[in-house]
Amino acid sequence: MRGYDFRGMTTLAVRDGKEVRKRTKEFMTSLINGALQRRQSVFPAADLELEDQFTTHTYTLRDGRVIYSKGNDHIIDAVRCALLAREQANLGQIGEETVSLQPVLTDPIFGGAVQVVMI
């Protein structure tokens, strides 16, 4: 079992002795977006609560920071934790490779991507 500080930072790599870090919740969200876009995550179409949370979750930008909508996101937070736990095995292996972690920001965040993968 692991715990994650959603307001914290996650170290992605060490380059020239310096850590490459990303805000944890933004990184988790980018992992979800990537998995959905690559069709590596599939959710049951009959799960109406999951669909509701993914299609209504939104964000705003404030002072260069992503602020996610509050409430009605417990399933999304569980998926965030699961994908980060899976990804952590790979984080130490990045080395000098250039990694693009630009989150795909839409309003709502997951709207179009979820509809594509639900079977």
Side-chain angles (χ1 to χ4, degrees), residues 8-15 18-31 83-84 87-103:
M9 300 290 284
T10 297
T11 300
L12 306 178
V14 177
R15 291 200 185 109
K18 296 182 182 179
E19 292 183 342
V20 176
R21 296 163 48 102
K22 177 85 174 170
R23 290 184 183 106
T24 299
K25 193 167 185 177
E26 288 179 31
F27 180 58
M28 293 167 140
T29 304
S30 71
L31 292 173
L83 291 184
L84 182 55
E87 183 69 15
Q88 284 197 309
N90 301 325
L91 289 179
Q93 301 171 10
I94 294 174
E96 293 297 316
E97 180 181 342
T98 302
V99 179
S100 174
L101 297 174
Q102 179 71 27

Side-chain angles (χ1 to χ4, degrees), residues 22-58:
K22 177 85 174 170
R23 290 184 183 106
T24 299
K25 193 167 185 177
E26 288 179 31
F27 180 58
M28 293 167 140
T29 304
S30 71
L31 292 173
I32 294 172
N33 273 316
L36 290 172
Q37 290 174 6
R38 290 184 304 275
R39 296 183 181 188
Q40 293 174 327
S41 289
V42 179
F43 301 109
D47 190 335
L48 299 179
E49 181 65 23
L50 183 141
E51 180 180 6
D52 178 59
Q53 287 188 26
F54 270 92
T55 58
T56 61
H57 197 52
T58 60

